Amino acid sequence: MSQLVEVKVPDIGDFDDVSVIEVLVKEGDTISENDSIITVESDKASMEIPSSASGVIKSMRVKLGDKVSEGVVLLTLEPSDEEVSSKDTKEKPKADAASEPKEQTEPKSKSSKEEATALPPESEHKQSSKTYIAQSSDAGDKVGKTKESPTAAFALSGKEIRNLPHASPSVRQFARSLGVDLSQVKGTGRKSRIVLDDVRNFVKSALSAPGGITTGSSTLGGSGLSLLDWPKVDFAKFGEVDTKPLSRIKKISGANLHRNWVMIPHVTNNDEADITDLEAFRVQLNKEYEKAGTKFTMLAFIFKAVVQALKKFPEFNASIDGENLVYKKYYHIGFAADTPNGLVVPVIKDADKKSVSDIAKETAELAKLARDGKLSPTQMQGGCFTISSLGGIGGTHFTPIINAPEVAILGVSRSYQKPVWDGKEFKPRLTLPLSLSYDHRIIDGAAAARFNAFLSQLLSDFRRALI
Ligand code: COA
């Protein structure tokens, strides 16, 4: 067996301690000189590090998420026969590419070939690695040019790196320049790797889609939203700061809320319900059922009232599906639950078939699961309409964001005593603020006012639910 060769990180310019965002080979692979081994990414650029020798990989010394600098051993290689014989004829060994810059050759690995058309080799002093510099936003047709753009630069956390879609640096860079979120792109390359054509096709279909496609922080196509870059401020210049990564829930719910806010024409109808009698009834029930451990919450009564309103106004229990409106014959009602990591929406299935006490029990159980981070995906699926109750916290009215593909959401604020004129005198009445946000493409203002007024009537006199 010939002597093992160590392949190290060559001179990669000013880069130090850069993150490994892709490992392109594994133990047992036969690689050729110049085949890409890993991809690293700094805050300014991505680059693939090629092998300085050919042979069979005996051991990998780096993994995804590692930080590497010049001289770090990436792998050990049993050199191929040609490698050994060519080595014999040469004075210096090839194993350490950092010490011996060599002529840039066309990349040989499949992944490198995919991007060879898009990205030319770097300048002389970096010939031992291919360096791709982040580009300005007009890079769509000039993706091959190496041009530094601080605005396109980004840094990724360890978690994000592990979640990166499988794509070469040039593809990621191309996608970034167009504002495409690669997690939405289906890869057609080897092992579902995303190639340039996948990004191009994604953009083409986005541009021809009626509503466009929302990707990352922007929308492609449709309205052709073109927004300014997010302000980049060095906050530490103005005082002490503490930077923490966004929770997974915040990232997911944030993206959903953003899409819903941008794509749905929201209008909010505000109304109030006199819940004096209902609250007295609820307090009475709670006393009666205390020993049985049953609790009747205002939220559970609101669920029942909402179901009645959905039955009376079916377009509120519908969803847009292309050019159709899908009317649902079931009543699965979601409710916003505030958790330490952000907002989630568990769903009570078949709320029409459940009693007020069943709903109270189930909302409490689901809210606990949500706060403990233990909700399963099925417990958050299938919702027809959402209730967001801030009643236990405070506020008067607010504008809840519709939970697409639903078409409306009810925001409930804190009840308060309001002096109401009964024809003879002012009397204190417990009043519940109701804020109904609706999708104006589907629901007219008059229909929303009727829905909210109906809810208000029901909550003011629950006997009406029997009618
Ligand atoms: N007015 C006055 N008081 C109210 C009220 C209202 N509209 N709604 C609830 N309360 C009272 C309750 O009676 C309870 O009082 P008690 O402890 O004396 O019995 C107290 O406020 C706490 O209620 P809460 O824990 O909020 O229970 P809930 O059943 O009303 O709500 C959740 C459950 C899960 C909806 C709620 O805990 C929650 O997470 N709300 C936040 C939703 C949110 O973040 N929405 C924003 C989305 S944009």
Side-chain angles (χ1 to χ4, degrees), residues 366 368-377 379-380:
L366 288 173
K368 180 165 186 332
L369 284 176
R371 282 171 192 145
D372 294 345
K374 290 183 180 158
L375 273 181
S376 69
Q379 287 169 314
M380 293 184 276

PDB file of all heavy atoms in Angstrom, residues 366 368-377 379-380:
ATOM      1  N   LEU A 366     -54.449  21.481  24.704  1.00  0.00           N
ATOM      2  CA  LEU A 366     -53.644  21.837  23.511  1.00  0.00           C
ATOM      3  C   LEU A 366     -52.719  23.026  23.802  1.00  0.00           C
ATOM      4  O   LEU A 366     -51.581  23.061  23.339  1.00  0.00           O
ATOM      5  CB  LEU A 366     -54.559  22.150  22.318  1.00  0.00           C
ATOM      6  CG  LEU A 366     -55.275  20.945  21.693  1.00  0.00           C
ATOM      7  CD1 LEU A 366     -56.272  21.398  20.637  1.00  0.00           C
ATOM      8  CD2 LEU A 366     -54.271  19.973  21.063  1.00  0.00           C
ATOM      9  N   LYS A 368     -51.391  23.723  26.630  1.00  0.00           N
ATOM     10  CA  LYS A 368     -50.261  23.227  27.440  1.00  0.00           C
ATOM     11  C   LYS A 368     -49.240  22.511  26.543  1.00  0.00           C
ATOM     12  O   LYS A 368     -48.035  22.740  26.646  1.00  0.00           O
ATOM     13  CB  LYS A 368     -50.774  22.285  28.535  1.00  0.00           C
ATOM     14  CG  LYS A 368     -49.633  21.750  29.382  1.00  0.00           C
ATOM     15  CD  LYS A 368     -50.054  21.127  30.668  1.00  0.00           C
ATOM     16  CE  LYS A 368     -48.893  20.721  31.561  1.00  0.00           C
ATOM     17  NZ  LYS A 368     -47.643  20.379  30.945  1.00  0.00           N
ATOM     18  N   LEU A 369     -49.768  21.665  25.660  1.00  0.00           N
ATOM     19  CA  LEU A 369     -48.861  20.965  24.726  1.00  0.00           C
ATOM     20  C   LEU A 369     -48.067  21.990  23.910  1.00  0.00           C
ATOM     21  O   LEU A 369     -46.865  21.831  23.683  1.00  0.00           O
ATOM     22  CB  LEU A 369     -49.656  20.071  23.772  1.00  0.00           C
ATOM     23  CG  LEU A 369     -50.205  18.755  24.324  1.00  0.00           C
ATOM     24  CD1 LEU A 369     -51.042  18.049  23.265  1.00  0.00           C
ATOM     25  CD2 LEU A 369     -49.055  17.843  24.765  1.00  0.00           C
ATOM     26  N   ALA A 370     -48.781  23.071  23.474  1.00  0.00           N
ATOM     27  CA  ALA A 370     -48.118  24.106  22.662  1.00  0.00           C
ATOM     28  C   ALA A 370     -46.995  24.759  23.465  1.00  0.00           C
ATOM     29  O   ALA A 370     -45.886  24.936  22.973  1.00  0.00           O
ATOM     30  CB  ALA A 370     -49.136  25.155  22.233  1.00  0.00           C
ATOM     31  N   ARG A 371     -47.286  25.089  24.707  1.00  0.00           N
ATOM     32  CA  ARG A 371     -46.265  25.771  25.530  1.00  0.00           C
ATOM     33  C   ARG A 371     -45.105  24.851  25.854  1.00  0.00           C
ATOM     34  O   ARG A 371     -43.978  25.297  26.025  1.00  0.00           O
ATOM     35  CB  ARG A 371     -46.915  26.317  26.804  1.00  0.00           C
ATOM     36  CG  ARG A 371     -47.677  27.590  26.471  1.00  0.00           C
ATOM     37  CD  ARG A 371     -48.549  28.130  27.555  1.00  0.00           C
ATOM     38  NE  ARG A 371     -49.385  29.163  26.939  1.00  0.00           N
ATOM     39  CZ  ARG A 371     -50.619  29.428  27.242  1.00  0.00           C
ATOM     40  NH1 ARG A 371     -51.215  28.764  28.199  1.00  0.00           N
ATOM     41  NH2 ARG A 371     -51.279  30.367  26.605  1.00  0.00           N
ATOM     42  N   ASP A 372     -45.372  23.531  25.924  1.00  0.00           N
ATOM     43  CA  ASP A 372     -44.282  22.582  26.192  1.00  0.00           C
ATOM     44  C   ASP A 372     -43.574  22.175  24.898  1.00  0.00           C
ATOM     45  O   ASP A 372     -42.693  21.313  24.903  1.00  0.00           O
ATOM     46  CB  ASP A 372     -44.835  21.315  26.868  1.00  0.00           C
ATOM     47  CG  ASP A 372     -45.394  21.620  28.256  1.00  0.00           C
ATOM     48  OD1 ASP A 372     -45.087  22.708  28.778  1.00  0.00           O
ATOM     49  OD2 ASP A 372     -46.135  20.785  28.803  1.00  0.00           O
ATOM     50  N   GLY A 373     -44.004  22.755  23.772  1.00  0.00           N
ATOM     51  CA  GLY A 373     -43.388  22.435  22.474  1.00  0.00           C
ATOM     52  C   GLY A 373     -43.687  21.021  22.028  1.00  0.00           C
ATOM     53  O   GLY A 373     -42.884  20.389  21.341  1.00  0.00           O
ATOM     54  N   LYS A 374     -44.852  20.465  22.449  1.00  0.00           N
ATOM     55  CA  LYS A 374     -45.126  19.048  22.154  1.00  0.00           C
ATOM     56  C   LYS A 374     -46.302  18.837  21.209  1.00  0.00           C
ATOM     57  O   LYS A 374     -46.822  17.737  21.093  1.00  0.00           O
ATOM     58  CB  LYS A 374     -45.402  18.303  23.465  1.00  0.00           C
ATOM     59  CG  LYS A 374     -44.145  18.150  24.317  1.00  0.00           C
ATOM     60  CD  LYS A 374     -44.441  17.352  25.555  1.00  0.00           C
ATOM     61  CE  LYS A 374     -43.173  17.209  26.394  1.00  0.00           C
ATOM     62  NZ  LYS A 374     -43.482  16.909  27.784  1.00  0.00           N
ATOM     63  N   LEU A 375     -46.751  19.895  20.545  1.00  0.00           N
ATOM     64  CA  LEU A 375     -47.873  19.735  19.607  1.00  0.00           C
ATOM     65  C   LEU A 375     -47.401  18.937  18.396  1.00  0.00           C
ATOM     66  O   LEU A 375     -46.311  19.178  17.878  1.00  0.00           O
ATOM     67  CB  LEU A 375     -48.344  21.100  19.113  1.00  0.00           C
ATOM     68  CG  LEU A 375     -49.371  21.864  19.925  1.00  0.00           C
ATOM     69  CD1 LEU A 375     -49.693  23.165  19.203  1.00  0.00           C
ATOM     70  CD2 LEU A 375     -50.634  21.062  20.142  1.00  0.00           C
ATOM     71  N   SER A 376     -48.249  18.009  17.943  1.00  0.00           N
ATOM     72  CA  SER A 376     -47.887  17.286  16.718  1.00  0.00           C
ATOM     73  C   SER A 376     -48.434  18.068  15.522  1.00  0.00           C
ATOM     74  O   SER A 376     -49.388  18.840  15.670  1.00  0.00           O
ATOM     75  CB  SER A 376     -48.498  15.884  16.749  1.00  0.00           C
ATOM     76  OG  SER A 376     -49.888  15.994  16.619  1.00  0.00           O
ATOM     77  N   PRO A 377     -47.853  17.876  14.328  1.00  0.00           N
ATOM     78  CA  PRO A 377     -48.342  18.596  13.150  1.00  0.00           C
ATOM     79  C   PRO A 377     -49.841  18.395  12.921  1.00  0.00           C
ATOM     80  O   PRO A 377     -50.550  19.330  12.578  1.00  0.00           O
ATOM     81  CB  PRO A 377     -47.523  18.009  12.005  1.00  0.00           C
ATOM     82  CG  PRO A 377     -46.288  17.478  12.646  1.00  0.00           C
ATOM     83  CD  PRO A 377     -46.685  17.056  14.027  1.00  0.00           C
ATOM     84  N   GLN A 379     -52.128  18.135  15.036  1.00  0.00           N
ATOM     85  CA  GLN A 379     -52.921  18.953  15.973  1.00  0.00           C
ATOM     86  C   GLN A 379     -52.971  20.422  15.533  1.00  0.00           C
ATOM     87  O   GLN A 379     -53.622  21.225  16.169  1.00  0.00           O
ATOM     88  CB  GLN A 379     -52.340  18.833  17.393  1.00  0.00           C
ATOM     89  CG  GLN A 379     -52.634  17.471  18.012  1.00  0.00           C
ATOM     90  CD  GLN A 379     -51.863  17.224  19.284  1.00  0.00           C
ATOM     91  OE1 GLN A 379     -50.667  17.481  19.361  1.00  0.00           O
ATOM     92  NE2 GLN A 379     -52.550  16.719  20.296  1.00  0.00           N
ATOM     93  N   MET A 380     -52.243  20.737  14.462  1.00  0.00           N
ATOM     94  CA  MET A 380     -52.252  22.121  13.964  1.00  0.00           C
ATOM     95  C   MET A 380     -52.807  22.189  12.543  1.00  0.00           C
ATOM     96  O   MET A 380     -52.704  23.205  11.885  1.00  0.00           O
ATOM     97  CB  MET A 380     -50.832  22.692  13.995  1.00  0.00           C
ATOM     98  CG  MET A 380     -50.300  22.878  15.408  1.00  0.00           C
ATOM     99  SD  MET A 380     -48.690  23.642  15.440  1.00  0.00           S
ATOM    100  CE  MET A 380     -47.641  22.230  15.195  1.00  0.00           C
TER     101      MET A 380
END
